Amino acid sequence: MNRETLLAGAIVLVVAVSSLAAAVVPGAIASPDDDVREGSLDIQEMTIAPGTVSGGTATLTVDTRLRHWGGQTENVTVFVRAVHLDSGLVETTTEQSVASISDNREVSVVQNLSVERAGGYRIETVVFRDGERIAEGSKEVRGVGSLQPAYARTSVRFHWQNGGGLPPVEYTVSDAEANRTTLNVSTYLTNEGDDASGDLRVVFTARQADSNIVADRAAVSVATLEPGRTGTPSVELAVPSEYNYYLDAVLWKDGVVVGTVRSVANLDPTETLQANESVREVGIEVSDFETDSGKSNSGGEATTLAGDGGSGSTPGFGVVVTALALLGALLLARRNP
């Protein structure tokens, strides 16, 4: 028997074995165009923005961007919870199903969490597929209490509220007789917004430093301030002489307190009073996104959690059978020259 006959027989054997494998093991020989793998999914990034804010609660809008590649992915659920940083207790949770995802692309999943308007929270996101956890990450949000409710928002601010060497509330002695001193008290208000102000008034209070007793109080309406302009509302307060006083200015808008500052008036020649340092809560802060490995995912490589059908999950019987058949044909040809 010559080599050509043996080679032809080997080819016939390969075809027969491949056909048998295809019949016995479905999908043993897969076409390169047939994608039998399930798609892969991970969390690309997570952003948090403030939403509706009331007096007691704040809404945090969480946008989770999922990165998908490969085949089609179904039955995906995104679970988000807010954990209080101080107590470690879960404040609230939300869950949202995601429609079937295919192709290589990103998908945005937006969810709202309503939390108490105080302290800070760790926002944890978990992605499930068919009830199985496949990806997770977290971010921390601090200074939630600094978010202003809609009713308390104004673009008018006390001009010297952050220091700068000048007292936010000034005074001059306009009259002094017997045991009574009249102070002309004023402050500076600046409109830092883009629209004219309205419905504003300032209440000035002289509070005796040792007893904390209110010696006098007066209110004044604030004239409309155009954007970028500064006004100087002032009143007269009559107080007993030879005492030291805290001078408080409270800014009101439509019946709501929207700002406060404090200075001092030293009328006692034997003792000097200093205004307490004001402590302001810093604005809301959001940490970097962290995956379950504890590494920042900002600008770096995403955590890849491949789905089923990764390496070793696709049948490869067709290739193995072909190689074995060809090897057997060559050995047989060498033994029968």
Side-chain angles (χ1 to χ4, degrees):
M1 185 179 294
N2 55 31
R3 293 184 180 179
E4 289 76 6
T5 303
L6 290 175
L7 184 57
I11 293 174
V12 172
L13 178 61
V14 169
V15 174
V17 172
S18 299
S19 300
L20 179 61
V24 176
V25 185
I29 301 179
S31 171
D33 297 332
D34 295 337
D35 191 355
V36 298
R37 296 179 304 167
E38 190 174 17
S40 298
L41 196 68
D42 69 5
I43 301 177
Q44 181 68 12
E45 67 174 348
M46 185 172 67
T47 59
I48 303 174
T52 303
V53 181
S54 67
T57 62
T59 299
L60 302 178
T61 301
V62 182
D63 184 359
T64 305
R65 299 196 66 87
L66 304 177
R67 184 169 67 100
H68 181 270
W69 69 99
Q72 185 166 311
T73 302
E74 299 179 344
N75 300 325
V76 174
T77 302
V78 178
F79 175 82
V80 179
R81 63 184 165 218
V83 181
H84 201 282
L85 292 179
D86 294 333
S87 66
L89 298 176
V90 175
E91 178 83 2
T92 185
T93 64
T94 182
E95 189 173 342
Q96 182 172 328
S97 298
V98 182
S100 177
I101 310 173
S102 59
D103 302 328
N104 298 338
R105 63 191 180 100
E106 287 189 8
V107 176
S108 175
V109 181
V110 179
Q111 297 161 273
N112 292 323
L113 293 174
S114 180
V115 298
E116 183 184 0
R117 193 173 67 89
Y121 300 89
R122 183 174 67 256
I123 308 302
E124 300 177 346
T125 299
V126 183
V127 180
F128 293 91
R129 179 176 57 199
D130 294 327
E132 179 183 357
R133 182 188 301 244
I134 62 172
E136 58 184 328
S138 66
K139 268 189 173 184
E140 290 186 357
V141 181
R142 300 178 185 273
V144 176
S146 66
L147 296 175
Q148 284 190 325
Y151 61 77
R153 293 174 188 169
T154 178
S155 56
V156 177
R157 303 283 188 271
F158 287 104
H159 195 86
W160 306 116
Q161 64 179 345
N162 296 325
L166 296 176
V169 181
E170 296 181 338
Y171 75 96
T172 59
V173 177
S174 61
D175 189 19
E177 57 182 20
N179 294 323
R180 206 76 175 168
T181 300
T182 302
L183 306 177
N184 188 306
V185 184
S186 62
T187 188
Y188 295 86
L189 294 174
T190 298
N191 187 349
E192 301 176 355
D194 299 325
D195 301 316
S197 66
D199 299 324
L200 295 174
R201 67 188 179 100
V202 179
V203 176
F204 292 93
T205 302
R207 197 181 305 273
Q208 203 275 326
D210 295 327
S211 63
N212 208 31
I213 295 176
V214 174
D216 198 8
R217 175 179 288 151
V220 58
S221 297
V222 180
T224 300
L225 291 176
E226 297 297 326
R229 298 298 181 179
T230 299
T232 56
S234 64
V235 298
E236 285 192 345
L237 300 178
V239 298
S241 303
E242 298 186 358
Y243 291 95
N244 292 332
Y245 297 90
Y246 289 115
L247 299 178
D248 297 329
V250 181
L251 179 62
W252 292 74
K253 177 189 176 183
D254 195 21
V256 178
V257 174
V258 293
T260 60
V261 288
R262 166 174 283 189
S263 293
V264 296
N266 289 309
L267 305 184
D268 183 354
T270 63
E271 184 179 3
T272 300
L273 180 69
Q274 293 184 352
N276 295 331
E277 292 185 1
S278 60
V279 179
R280 295 191 307 118
E281 186 174 9
V282 298
I284 187 169
E285 297 181 355
V286 182
S287 70
D288 291 335
F289 170 66
E290 293 186 353
T291 65
D292 55 353
S293 62
K295 296 182 179 179
S296 172
N297 204 27
S298 175
E301 186 173 316
T303 301
T304 301
L305 295 170
D308 297 338
S311 176
S313 62
T314 302
F317 294 116
V319 177
V320 175
V321 171
T322 301
L324 291 176
L326 290 176
L327 179 60
L330 292 176
L331 292 175
L332 184 59
R334 292 187 62 184
R335 293 177 59 183
N336 297 278

